[in-house]
């Protein structure tokens, strides 16, 4: 076991391992591209949908059941299905990652909106605010903590699952996992897994810091 971790440390810190088209730096850039783009697309779909459902109260059944759908989604199966339909491209990976991320974003956005005190919304309407003003000036700021939690959950899920890009012969950190399994190279498999975990933790900490920053300044904005 000690020898395994020693070899893993050597693999991760080797200068040669970080350079070239198969190097960690290049694979990391690919993995971040897949993950961030898919999460941005999912946010562009999920945030408006969650805000609309939470603001109007219509479609709550959809928001609640999307969480179960996300947990039951066979990601690899979806990749294979789209791959067979569209051929060799990144579309299957992006579609699967977006489909995985949308439920967390929608359900947490909806939960954040429904958690806003109805008396606060009534008071805002009583002051003459229109529907969109109540949404963006009252409900959205108060729902932001849960919305941010949904984005963080979605991003972590996507980062962990973006390894499937290697399943259809594309790049990312999953390349080390799949190639290592094919070559029976345990060090390479563990290296890929460690890198994926490190990226997920780093991005989660970054979003957590952004969340604290937003909330630190919010009282000064609403004063």
């Amino acid at each position: 076991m000690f020898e395994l971790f020693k070899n893993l440390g050597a693999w991760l810190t080797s200068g040669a391992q970080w350079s070239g088209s198969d190097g960690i730096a290049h694979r990391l850039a690919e993995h971040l591209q897949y993950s961030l783009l898919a999460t941005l697309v999912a946010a562009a779909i999920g945030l408006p949908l969650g805000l609309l459902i939470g603001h109007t109260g219509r479609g709550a059944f959809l928001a609640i059941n999307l969480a179960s759908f996300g947990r039951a989604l066979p990601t690899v199966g979806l990749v294979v299905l789209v791959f067979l339909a569209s051929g060799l491209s990144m579309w299957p990976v992006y579609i699967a990652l977006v489909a995985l991320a949308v439920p967390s974003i929608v359900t947490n956005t909806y939960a954040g909106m429904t958690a806003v005190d109805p008396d606060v919304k009534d008071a805002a309407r009583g002051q003459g605010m229109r529907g969109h003003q109540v949404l963006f000036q009252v409900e959205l700021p108060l729902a932001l903590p849960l919305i941010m939690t949904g984005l963080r959950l979605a991003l972590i899920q996507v980062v962990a699952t973006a390894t499937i890009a290697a399943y259809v012969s594309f790049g990312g950190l999953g390349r080390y996992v799949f190639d290592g399994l094919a070559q029976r190279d345990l060090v390479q498999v563990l290296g890929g897994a460690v890198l994926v975990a490190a990226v997920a933790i780093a991005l989660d900490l970054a979003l957590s810091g952004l969340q604290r920053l937003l909330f630190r300044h919010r009282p000064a904005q609403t004063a």
Side-chain angles (χ1 to χ4, degrees):
M1 183 63 70
F2 174 77
E3 189 68 23
L4 175 62
F5 283 105
K6 179 182 176 181
N7 292 336
L8 175 61
W11 187 87
L12 289 171
T13 56
S14 170
Q17 189 60 48
W18 283 82
S19 61
S21 59
D22 291 328
I24 294 175
H26 183 72
R27 295 303 185 197
L28 175 60
E30 290 176 330
H31 203 92
L32 288 173
Q33 176 188 331
Y34 304 156
S35 302
L36 295 177
L37 181 57
T39 304
L40 285 173
V41 173
I45 297 171
L47 285 176
L49 185 58
L51 290 173
L52 178 63
I53 294 173
H55 180 66
T56 62
R58 300 172 183 173
F61 178 82
L62 171 64
I64 293 170
N65 284 276
L66 267 176
S68 299
F69 169 78
R71 285 191 292 268
L73 181 68
T75 309
V76 174
L78 181 59
V79 168
V80 173
L81 180 63
V82 181
F83 175 77
L84 292 175
S86 64
L88 184 61
S89 71
M90 275 298 296
W91 279 109
V93 176
Y94 281 124
I95 290 174
L97 294 179
V98 170
L100 176 70
V102 166
S104 293
I105 296 174
V106 172
T107 52
N108 278 270
T109 302
Y110 168 74
M113 295 289 287
T114 56
V116 177
D117 190 339
D119 292 338
V120 175
K121 293 185 283 187
D122 290 339
R125 294 188 184 97
Q127 293 178 357
M129 284 189 177
R130 297 181 180 273
H132 69 279
Q133 292 175 315
V134 175
L135 171 60
F136 291 109
Q137 297 180 29
V138 178
E139 292 177 296
L140 180 56
L142 293 175
L144 193 57
L146 280 175
I147 293 175
M148 288 295 296
T149 298
L151 289 171
R152 288 171 61 185
L153 288 172
L155 182 57
I156 298 308
Q157 289 176 316
V158 167
V159 168
T161 312
T163 54
I164 61 173
Y167 186 78
V168 286
S169 302
F170 286 94
L173 296 174
R175 189 79 270 156
Y176 299 124
V177 176
F178 283 94
D179 288 351
L181 288 172
Q183 299 166 12
R184 297 185 178 181
D185 184 347
L186 184 57
V187 171
Q188 187 175 181
V189 174
L190 287 176
V194 167
L195 289 169
V196 171
V199 170
I201 292 171
L203 290 175
D204 186 54
L205 290 174
L207 281 182
S208 178
L210 176 61
Q211 188 172 349
R212 287 195 299 270
L213 181 64
L214 289 173
F215 296 153
R216 183 183 67 183
H217 289 288
R218 191 173 62 175
Q221 294 173 347
T222 57

